Amino acid sequence: MKAPVSVHTRGVLDTSTVILLSRIEDPESLPREPMITAVTLAELSVGPLVADTHEERAARQAHLQQAEADFHPLPFDAAAARAFGRVAASLRRSGRKPAARSLDAMIAATALANALPLYTCNPGDFAGIDELEVVAVDAPGVQE
């Protein structure tokens, strides 16, 4: 079961949420000022390069370009690098392997470094991270 949605003025959208943005039925469930991280932009940049078909490649490229136009990404900077240590330690304490979820951990660290909640369609990806406020976002067809 997903946690109740709480709306903040600002919040970080993880990669799953950016990808599913057009499928989110209740835009009021998102922060008024949605933000993304440079890590999410990096993840989106991989999509067109690994697509199997021309159509899929074109769709992913369009999605990447839309994200680049819509958002100014938060950097993975020195503060995020320090927060990453706390995230990795939290994951280890909870029995999860930080390396297996390194990009999610970097997104979480960026949110923590900027004192922002993280909005995700996959809250389980961020389970076990101390101090991180995770806001579950419902998107049709997505099951945690």
Side-chain angles (χ1 to χ4, degrees), residues 87-113:
V87 169
S90 291
L91 289 170
R92 285 186 183 168
R93 280 193 299 274
S94 70
R96 299 180 74 196
K97 295 181 180 178
R101 307 256 19 130
S102 59
L103 295 175
D104 288 337
M106 291 173 75
I107 292 168
T110 304
L112 281 173

Side-chain angles (χ1 to χ4, degrees), residues 16 36 44 50 78 86 106 110:
S16 70
I36 67 168
L44 292 173
V50 298
R86 297 193 323 264
M106 291 173 75
T110 304

Side-chain angles (χ1 to χ4, degrees), residues 47-48 50-60:
V50 298
D52 292 330
T53 66
H54 176 71
E55 292 79 15
E56 184 180 3
R57 186 175 305 106
R60 289 180 180 191

Side-chain angles (χ1 to χ4, degrees), residues 1-90:
M1 173 169 249
K2 294 191 177 187
V5 174
S6 62
V7 177
H8 298 274
T9 301
R10 298 173 71 217
V12 173
L13 309 181
D14 81 326
T15 308
S16 70
T17 307
V18 173
I19 289 169
L20 297 169
L21 216 54
S22 66
R23 291 175 45 194
I24 295 171
E25 293 178 337
D26 182 12
E28 295 295 316
S29 67
L30 298 174
R32 290 184 214 26
E33 185 181 341
M35 308 174 94
I36 67 168
T37 70
V39 177
T40 288
L41 199 54
E43 283 191 289
L44 292 173
S45 296
V46 174
L49 301 173
V50 298
D52 292 330
T53 66
H54 176 71
E55 292 79 15
E56 184 180 3
R57 186 175 305 106
R60 289 180 180 191
Q61 185 65 36
H63 199 87
L64 167 62
Q65 289 172 322
Q66 189 66 56
E68 289 172 332
D70 290 346
F71 299 100
H72 179 75
L74 296 167
F76 187 82
D77 56 12
R82 286 189 297 278
F84 182 83
R86 297 193 323 264
V87 169
S90 291

